Protein backbone atom coordinates (compact mmCIF):
# COMPACT_ATOMS: atom_id res chain seq x y z
CA UNK A 1 0.00 0.00 0.00
CA UNK A 2 0.93 3.65 -0.54
CA UNK A 3 3.76 2.93 -2.97
CA UNK A 4 2.60 5.85 -5.13
CA UNK A 5 2.45 8.10 -2.04
CA UNK A 6 5.98 7.02 -1.14
CA UNK A 7 7.33 8.15 -4.50
CA UNK A 8 5.22 11.32 -4.48
CA UNK A 9 6.76 12.33 -1.16
CA UNK A 10 10.25 11.72 -2.52
CA UNK A 11 9.43 13.75 -5.61
CA UNK A 12 8.57 16.72 -3.40
CA UNK A 13 11.81 16.39 -1.43
CA UNK A 14 10.56 14.60 1.68
CA UNK A 15 13.38 12.15 2.62
CA UNK A 16 11.33 9.00 3.23
CA UNK A 17 12.73 5.46 3.21
CA UNK A 18 11.20 2.00 3.09
CA UNK A 19 11.41 1.97 6.89
CA UNK A 20 8.80 4.76 7.13
CA UNK A 21 6.61 3.03 4.55
CA UNK A 22 6.70 -0.22 6.53
CA UNK A 23 5.85 1.69 9.72
CA UNK A 24 2.79 3.19 8.04
CA UNK A 25 1.59 -0.19 6.80
CA UNK A 26 2.16 -1.70 10.24
CA UNK A 27 0.07 1.08 11.81
CA UNK A 28 -2.76 0.33 9.40
CA UNK A 29 -2.50 -3.41 10.14
CA UNK A 30 -2.90 -2.60 13.84
CA UNK A 31 -6.18 -0.87 13.07
CA UNK A 32 -5.01 2.60 14.12
CA UNK A 33 -7.10 4.15 11.36
CA UNK A 34 -10.34 2.46 12.39
CA UNK A 35 -12.99 4.31 14.39
CA UNK A 36 -14.40 1.63 16.74
CA UNK A 37 -18.14 1.24 17.12
CA UNK A 38 -19.14 1.56 20.80
CA UNK A 39 -21.30 -1.57 20.71
CA UNK A 40 -20.48 -3.68 17.65
CA UNK A 41 -16.81 -3.92 16.50
CA UNK A 42 -18.02 -5.23 13.12
CA UNK A 43 -19.57 -1.83 12.47
CA UNK A 44 -16.31 0.05 12.99
CA UNK A 45 -15.65 2.70 10.35
CA UNK A 46 -12.54 4.11 8.74
CA UNK A 47 -11.18 7.19 10.47
CA UNK A 48 -11.52 10.70 9.07
CA UNK A 49 -9.33 12.13 6.37
CA UNK A 50 -7.78 14.47 8.94
CA UNK A 51 -6.81 11.51 11.14
CA UNK A 52 -5.36 9.77 8.10
CA UNK A 53 -3.32 12.86 7.28
CA UNK A 54 -1.89 12.98 10.81
CA UNK A 55 -1.00 9.30 10.88
CA UNK A 56 0.77 9.45 7.52
CA UNK A 57 2.72 12.52 8.61
CA UNK A 58 3.62 10.90 11.93
CA UNK A 59 4.99 7.80 10.20
CA UNK A 60 6.58 9.34 7.12
CA UNK A 61 8.02 12.70 8.23
CA UNK A 62 10.79 12.73 10.83
CA UNK A 63 11.73 16.42 10.68
CA UNK A 64 9.28 19.30 10.89
CA UNK A 65 11.19 21.29 8.28
CA UNK A 66 9.61 18.94 5.70
CA UNK A 67 6.00 19.57 6.82
CA UNK A 68 5.38 22.08 4.03
CA UNK A 69 6.73 19.72 1.37
CA UNK A 70 4.56 16.99 2.88
CA UNK A 71 1.42 19.16 2.61
CA UNK A 72 2.10 19.86 -1.06
CA UNK A 73 2.79 16.19 -1.76
CA UNK A 74 -0.46 15.16 -0.06
CA UNK A 75 -2.44 17.65 -2.14
CA UNK A 76 -0.86 16.20 -5.27
CA UNK A 77 -1.41 12.58 -4.19
CA UNK A 78 -5.03 12.85 -3.04
CA UNK A 79 -6.32 15.64 -5.26
CA UNK A 80 -4.02 15.52 -8.28
CA UNK A 81 -2.99 19.14 -7.75
CA UNK A 82 0.57 19.98 -8.69
CA UNK A 83 2.31 22.19 -6.14
CA UNK A 84 3.48 24.64 -8.78
CA UNK A 85 -0.13 25.29 -9.72
CA UNK A 86 -0.94 25.92 -6.07
CA UNK A 87 1.95 28.33 -5.66
CA UNK A 88 1.00 30.19 -8.82
CA UNK A 89 -2.58 30.50 -7.68
CA UNK A 90 -1.48 31.75 -4.27
CA UNK A 91 0.68 34.37 -5.95
CA UNK A 92 -2.24 35.48 -8.12
CA UNK A 93 -4.58 35.65 -5.14
CA UNK A 94 -2.21 38.01 -3.35
CA UNK A 95 -2.59 40.34 -6.35
CA UNK A 96 -6.38 40.54 -6.02
CA UNK A 97 -7.13 44.23 -5.22
CA UNK A 98 -8.07 44.70 -1.57
CA UNK A 99 -11.14 46.75 -2.50
CA UNK A 100 -12.60 43.66 -4.18
CA UNK A 101 -12.68 41.98 -0.77
CA UNK A 102 -14.12 44.84 1.32
CA UNK A 103 -17.62 44.07 2.57
CA UNK A 104 -20.03 46.92 1.74
CA UNK A 105 -23.38 45.11 1.87
CA UNK A 106 -24.91 42.66 4.32
CA UNK A 107 -23.66 39.12 3.53
CA UNK A 108 -26.04 36.45 2.32
CA UNK A 109 -27.24 33.78 4.71
CA UNK A 110 -28.84 30.97 2.73
CA UNK A 111 -31.15 28.29 4.00
CA UNK A 112 -30.00 24.66 3.99
CA UNK A 113 -32.19 24.00 0.96
CA UNK A 114 -30.71 26.94 -0.95
CA UNK A 115 -27.19 25.77 -0.12
CA UNK A 116 -27.95 22.28 -1.45
CA UNK A 117 -28.99 23.77 -4.79
CA UNK A 118 -25.69 25.61 -5.31
CA UNK A 119 -23.26 24.23 -7.86
CA UNK A 120 -20.58 22.01 -6.37
CA UNK A 121 -17.39 21.09 -8.18
CA UNK A 122 -16.95 17.68 -6.55
CA UNK A 123 -13.21 17.82 -5.99
CA UNK A 124 -10.58 20.30 -4.89
CA UNK A 125 -8.88 19.94 -8.27
CA UNK A 126 -11.98 21.05 -10.17
CA UNK A 127 -12.53 23.88 -7.69
CA UNK A 128 -8.98 25.14 -8.25
CA UNK A 129 -9.36 24.98 -12.03
CA UNK A 130 -12.54 27.06 -11.79
CA UNK A 131 -10.78 29.59 -9.56
CA UNK A 132 -7.91 29.89 -12.01
CA UNK A 133 -10.39 30.62 -14.83
CA UNK A 134 -12.13 33.30 -12.75
CA UNK A 135 -8.86 35.06 -12.02
CA UNK A 136 -8.03 35.15 -15.73
CA UNK A 137 -11.43 36.58 -16.68
CA UNK A 138 -12.32 38.93 -13.82
CA UNK A 139 -11.55 42.64 -14.37
CA UNK A 140 -13.53 44.43 -11.67
CA UNK A 141 -15.02 44.20 -8.18
CA UNK A 142 -18.16 42.09 -7.58
CA UNK A 143 -20.39 41.72 -4.56
CA UNK A 144 -23.42 39.60 -3.87
CA UNK A 145 -22.98 37.44 -6.97
CA UNK A 146 -22.74 33.72 -7.62
CA UNK A 147 -19.73 33.47 -9.97
CA UNK A 148 -16.89 35.92 -9.50
CA UNK A 149 -14.32 36.46 -6.75
CA UNK A 150 -16.12 38.85 -4.45
CA UNK A 151 -17.91 39.33 -1.16
CA UNK A 152 -21.27 38.64 0.40
CA UNK A 153 -22.60 36.38 -2.33
CA UNK A 154 -23.02 32.68 -3.10
CA UNK A 155 -19.94 32.42 -5.27
CA UNK A 156 -17.47 29.77 -4.09
CA UNK A 157 -14.64 32.33 -4.38
CA UNK A 158 -14.21 35.29 -2.06
CA UNK A 159 -15.07 36.34 1.46
CA UNK A 160 -18.13 36.81 3.69
CA UNK A 161 -20.29 34.75 1.35
CA UNK A 162 -22.21 31.51 1.69
CA UNK A 163 -21.14 28.41 -0.25
CA UNK A 164 -20.64 24.87 1.11
CA UNK A 165 -17.26 24.29 -0.61
CA UNK A 166 -15.82 27.71 -1.15
CA UNK A 167 -12.29 29.04 -1.38
CA UNK A 168 -11.95 31.91 1.06
CA UNK A 169 -9.89 34.80 -0.31
CA UNK A 170 -9.12 37.33 2.41
CA UNK A 171 -11.69 38.26 5.02
CA UNK A 172 -12.56 36.18 8.08
CA UNK A 173 -14.19 32.81 8.48
CA UNK A 174 -17.97 32.85 9.07
CA UNK A 175 -19.42 29.44 8.16
CA UNK A 176 -16.15 27.49 8.62
CA UNK A 177 -17.00 25.41 5.55
CA UNK A 178 -14.39 26.62 3.07
CA UNK A 179 -12.68 23.83 1.15
CA UNK A 180 -9.45 25.79 1.15
CA UNK A 181 -8.29 28.91 2.94
CA UNK A 182 -5.82 30.65 0.67
CA UNK A 183 -3.60 32.22 3.24
CA UNK A 184 0.08 31.43 3.65
CA UNK A 185 0.55 27.69 4.08
CA UNK A 186 0.69 26.66 7.72
CA UNK A 187 4.16 25.11 7.62
CA UNK A 188 5.72 27.18 4.87
CA UNK A 189 8.10 28.98 7.26
CA UNK A 190 9.61 25.64 8.32
CA UNK A 191 10.98 24.95 4.85
CA UNK A 192 14.77 24.87 4.34
CA UNK A 193 14.64 27.69 1.80
CA UNK A 194 12.51 30.19 3.71
CA UNK A 195 13.45 32.76 6.33
CA UNK A 196 13.24 31.43 9.83
CA UNK A 197 11.02 32.07 12.82
CA UNK A 198 12.44 32.31 16.34
CA UNK A 199 11.82 28.66 17.20
CA UNK A 200 13.39 27.37 13.99
CA UNK A 201 16.46 29.56 14.53
CA UNK A 202 16.82 28.15 18.06
CA UNK A 203 16.69 24.60 16.71
CA UNK A 204 19.40 25.39 14.16
CA UNK A 205 21.64 27.25 16.62
CA UNK A 206 21.38 24.39 19.09
CA UNK A 207 23.90 22.44 17.01
CA UNK A 208 26.56 24.96 18.08
CA UNK A 209 26.14 24.43 21.79
CA UNK A 210 28.88 22.58 23.69
CA UNK A 211 28.35 21.34 27.21
CA UNK A 212 30.74 20.53 30.03
CA UNK A 213 30.42 19.48 33.68
CA UNK A 214 31.33 22.48 35.80
CA UNK A 215 30.98 23.50 39.45
CA UNK A 216 30.28 21.37 42.51
CA UNK A 217 28.62 17.94 42.41
CA UNK A 218 25.08 18.95 43.34
CA UNK A 219 22.98 17.22 40.67
CA UNK A 220 21.73 13.63 40.90
CA UNK A 221 23.28 11.31 38.31
CA UNK A 222 20.38 8.92 37.77
CA UNK A 223 22.16 6.64 35.32
CA UNK A 224 25.24 6.17 37.49
CA UNK A 225 23.12 5.80 40.65
CA UNK A 226 21.12 2.95 39.09
CA UNK A 227 24.31 1.28 37.84
CA UNK A 228 26.06 1.40 41.24
CA UNK A 229 22.92 0.37 43.15
CA UNK A 230 22.42 -2.66 40.91
CA UNK A 231 26.08 -3.62 41.31
CA UNK A 232 26.18 -3.31 45.11
CA UNK A 233 22.65 -4.40 45.93
CA UNK A 234 22.09 -1.35 48.14
CA UNK A 235 21.20 2.23 47.30
CA UNK A 236 24.34 4.09 46.21
CA UNK A 237 23.57 7.70 45.30
CA UNK A 238 25.98 9.39 42.91
CA UNK A 239 26.05 13.15 42.36
CA UNK A 240 27.51 15.09 39.46
CA UNK A 241 28.22 18.69 38.48
CA UNK A 242 25.65 20.59 36.41
CA UNK A 243 26.06 20.50 32.64
CA UNK A 244 26.58 24.03 31.44
CA UNK A 245 26.79 25.52 28.00
CA UNK A 246 30.41 26.48 27.47
CA UNK A 247 30.34 27.84 23.92
CA UNK A 248 31.01 31.58 23.70
CA UNK A 249 29.37 33.58 20.94
CA UNK A 250 30.04 37.13 19.73
CA UNK A 251 27.47 38.58 17.32
CA UNK A 252 27.98 41.76 15.28
CA UNK A 253 24.78 43.19 13.76
CA UNK A 254 24.59 45.55 10.82
CA UNK A 255 21.87 48.15 11.54
CA UNK A 256 20.27 50.97 9.58
CA UNK A 257 19.98 51.69 5.88
CA UNK A 258 19.23 48.64 3.74
CA UNK A 259 19.01 46.50 6.90
CA UNK A 260 15.80 48.22 8.02
CA UNK A 261 13.68 45.79 5.98
CA UNK A 262 15.27 42.89 7.88
CA UNK A 263 14.61 44.21 11.39
CA UNK A 264 11.95 41.59 12.15
CA UNK A 265 14.24 38.74 11.08
CA UNK A 266 17.11 40.15 13.17
CA UNK A 267 14.86 40.42 16.22
CA UNK A 268 13.94 36.75 15.89
CA UNK A 269 17.58 35.78 15.47
CA UNK A 270 18.66 37.82 18.49
CA UNK A 271 15.85 36.41 20.64
CA UNK A 272 16.74 32.85 19.67
CA UNK A 273 20.46 33.40 20.29
CA UNK A 274 19.82 34.86 23.76
CA UNK A 275 17.80 31.78 24.70
CA UNK A 276 20.37 29.33 23.37
CA UNK A 277 23.73 30.64 24.58
CA UNK A 278 24.79 31.29 28.18
CA UNK A 279 27.71 33.41 27.02
CA UNK A 280 26.54 35.78 24.29
CA UNK A 281 28.03 39.19 23.55
CA UNK A 282 26.72 41.48 20.83
CA UNK A 283 27.57 44.80 19.20
CA UNK A 284 26.34 46.87 16.27
CA UNK A 285 27.96 48.41 13.20
CA UNK A 286 26.67 50.13 10.06
CA UNK A 287 27.27 48.62 6.60
CA UNK A 288 30.88 47.59 7.29
CA UNK A 289 33.05 47.17 10.37
CA UNK A 290 35.40 50.08 11.03
CA UNK A 291 37.39 51.30 14.02
CA UNK A 292 34.50 51.22 16.52
CA UNK A 293 31.27 49.38 17.35
CA UNK A 294 28.51 50.14 19.85
CA UNK A 295 26.27 48.33 22.29
CA UNK A 296 23.31 50.72 22.40
CA UNK A 297 21.94 52.25 19.22
CA UNK A 298 20.70 55.26 21.17
CA UNK A 299 24.25 55.95 22.40
CA UNK A 300 26.23 54.92 19.34
CA UNK A 301 28.07 58.26 19.18
CA UNK A 302 28.38 58.93 22.90
CA UNK A 303 29.47 55.44 24.01
CA UNK A 304 31.35 53.69 21.20
CA UNK A 305 33.72 50.78 21.79
CA UNK A 306 36.95 50.80 19.78
CA UNK A 307 37.26 47.68 17.65
CA UNK A 308 40.80 47.14 18.95
CA UNK A 309 39.34 47.02 22.46
CA UNK A 310 36.83 44.43 21.29
CA UNK A 311 39.65 42.27 19.92
CA UNK A 312 41.60 42.62 23.18
CA UNK A 313 38.54 41.83 25.33
CA UNK A 314 37.29 38.67 23.68
CA UNK A 315 39.58 35.69 23.18
CA UNK A 316 39.99 33.69 20.01
CA UNK A 317 37.78 30.91 21.44
CA UNK A 318 34.68 33.05 20.78
CA UNK A 319 32.58 32.04 17.76
CA UNK A 320 31.91 35.24 15.82
CA UNK A 321 28.80 35.77 13.67
CA UNK A 322 28.45 38.86 11.50
CA UNK A 323 24.81 39.50 10.59
CA UNK A 324 24.18 41.82 7.67
CA UNK A 325 23.23 42.06 4.01
CA UNK A 326 26.82 43.00 3.01
CA UNK A 327 25.29 45.42 0.49
CA UNK A 328 27.04 48.78 0.29
CA UNK A 329 29.05 51.02 -1.95
CA UNK A 330 32.42 49.43 -2.87
CA UNK A 331 34.07 52.58 -1.45
CA UNK A 332 32.74 51.66 2.00
CA UNK A 333 34.56 48.35 1.81
CA UNK A 334 37.80 49.25 0.04
CA UNK A 335 38.55 52.94 0.60
CA UNK A 336 39.92 55.13 3.38
CA UNK A 337 37.19 57.65 4.16
CA UNK A 338 34.63 55.46 2.39
CA UNK A 339 32.22 55.28 5.32
CA UNK A 340 28.95 57.12 4.73
CA UNK A 341 29.04 58.46 8.32
CA UNK A 342 32.57 59.72 8.97
CA UNK A 343 36.15 59.76 7.65
CA UNK A 344 37.46 56.30 8.55
CA UNK A 345 41.26 56.08 8.65
CA UNK A 346 41.39 52.49 7.39
CA UNK A 347 39.27 50.64 4.84
CA UNK A 348 36.50 48.38 6.12
CA UNK A 349 38.05 45.28 4.55
CA UNK A 350 41.15 45.82 6.71
CA UNK A 351 39.04 45.60 9.87
CA UNK A 352 37.21 42.52 8.64
CA UNK A 353 40.54 40.78 8.04
CA UNK A 354 41.73 41.73 11.55
CA UNK A 355 38.68 40.03 13.04
CA UNK A 356 39.22 36.96 10.87
CA UNK A 357 42.86 36.75 11.95
CA UNK A 358 42.06 37.15 15.65
CA UNK A 359 39.24 34.61 16.09
CA UNK A 360 39.38 30.91 15.27
CA UNK A 361 35.91 30.72 13.72
CA UNK A 362 34.10 33.61 12.01
CA UNK A 363 31.04 33.44 9.75
CA UNK A 364 28.70 35.89 8.02
CA UNK A 365 24.92 35.34 8.13
CA UNK A 366 23.12 37.18 5.33
CA UNK A 367 19.34 37.84 5.41
CA UNK A 368 19.37 38.85 1.75
CA UNK A 369 17.98 36.27 -0.70
CA UNK A 370 20.94 34.22 -2.08
CA UNK A 371 19.65 34.58 -5.64
CA UNK A 372 20.64 38.27 -5.48
CA UNK A 373 24.12 37.77 -4.04
CA UNK A 374 25.85 37.47 -7.39
CA UNK A 375 24.54 40.89 -8.46
CA UNK A 376 26.13 42.78 -5.54
CA UNK A 377 29.89 43.34 -5.71
CA UNK A 378 30.44 43.81 -1.98
CA UNK A 379 28.58 40.59 -1.12
CA UNK A 380 30.89 38.64 -3.39
CA UNK A 381 34.00 40.38 -2.07
CA UNK A 382 33.11 39.81 1.59
CA UNK A 383 32.14 36.22 0.85
CA UNK A 384 35.59 35.78 -0.71
CA UNK A 385 37.36 37.35 2.30
CA UNK A 386 35.40 35.03 4.60
CA UNK A 387 36.55 32.00 2.56
CA UNK A 388 32.95 31.33 1.46
CA UNK A 389 31.70 31.17 5.05
CA UNK A 390 28.74 33.39 4.24
CA UNK A 391 25.38 31.71 4.82
CA UNK A 392 21.75 32.64 4.07
CA UNK A 393 19.38 33.12 6.98
CA UNK A 394 17.42 29.95 6.24
CA UNK A 395 17.18 26.77 8.28
CA UNK A 396 19.65 25.03 5.99
CA UNK A 397 21.94 28.08 6.00
CA UNK A 398 22.04 28.44 9.80
CA UNK A 399 22.66 24.71 10.18
CA UNK A 400 25.58 24.88 7.75
CA UNK A 401 26.95 27.88 9.63
CA UNK A 402 26.73 26.18 13.03
CA UNK A 403 28.34 23.03 11.61
CA UNK A 404 31.33 25.16 10.57
CA UNK A 405 31.52 27.17 13.80
CA UNK A 406 31.26 24.03 15.95
CA UNK A 407 34.40 22.42 14.49
Amino acid sequence: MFIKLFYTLRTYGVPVSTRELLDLNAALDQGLMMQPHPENPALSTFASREDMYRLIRLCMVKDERHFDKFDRAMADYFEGIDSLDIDELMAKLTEVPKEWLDLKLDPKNLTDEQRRLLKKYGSLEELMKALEERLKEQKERHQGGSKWVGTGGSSPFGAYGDHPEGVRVGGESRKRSAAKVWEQRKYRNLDDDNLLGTRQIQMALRNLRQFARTGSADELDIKETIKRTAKKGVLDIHMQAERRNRVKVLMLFDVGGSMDIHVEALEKLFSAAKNEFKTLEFFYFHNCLYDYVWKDNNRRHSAPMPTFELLNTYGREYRVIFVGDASMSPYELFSVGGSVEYMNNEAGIVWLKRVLNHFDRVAWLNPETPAYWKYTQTINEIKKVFNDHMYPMTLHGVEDMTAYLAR
Side-chain angles (χ1 to χ4, degrees), residues 121-174:
Y121 290 85
S123 72
L124 191 57
E125 183 176 14
E126 291 299 320
L127 193 64
M128 292 302 101
K129 288 180 179 178
L131 174 58
E132 187 172 21
E133 292 173 1
R134 298 291 187 278
L135 291 173
K136 290 178 180 178
E137 299 171 2
Q138 187 167 344
K139 304 299 180 184
E140 59 185 13
R141 183 181 184 278
H142 289 269
Q143 180 163 321
S146 61
K147 177 180 179 180
W148 302 105
V149 177
T151 61
S154 57
S155 166
F157 314 115
Y160 307 109
D162 197 347
H163 195 286
E165 60 167 24
V167 175
R168 178 160 62 85
V169 184
E172 298 177 355
S173 177
R174 295 173 60 245

Side-chain angles (χ1 to χ4, degrees), residues 175-202:
K175 301 290 185 177
R176 301 189 183 278
S177 61
K180 185 67 178 178
V181 179
W182 285 106
E183 308 294 347
Q184 188 177 32
R185 289 196 302 269
K186 183 176 181 181
Y187 297 109
R188 190 166 188 152
N189 67 321
L190 299 180
D191 200 301
D192 287 13
D193 300 321
N194 289 288
L195 289 183
L196 297 167
T198 303
R199 181 166 176 267
Q200 287 71 51
I201 297 175
Q202 280 188 248

Side-chain angles (χ1 to χ4, degrees), residues 227-263:
K227 180 180 177 181
R228 294 188 179 192
T229 299
K231 185 176 181 180
K232 295 183 178 180
V234 295
L235 181 62
D236 186 359
I237 295 177
H238 180 70
M239 305 299 288
Q240 63 183 358
E242 180 185 3
R243 292 177 74 240
R244 294 185 180 178
N245 189 346
R246 68 180 182 185
V247 69
K248 298 178 181 178
V249 178
L250 172 62
M251 302 188 76
L252 301 171
F253 291 91
D254 180 7
V255 292
S258 59
M259 285 298 294
D260 286 345
I261 62 173
H262 302 297
V263 167

Side-chain angles (χ1 to χ4, degrees), residues 52 103 112 116 122 138 165 187 216 274:
M52 185 69 175
L103 186 65
D112 291 341
R116 280 196 292 270
Q138 187 167 344
E165 60 167 24
Y187 297 109
S216 58
K274 282 207 306 183

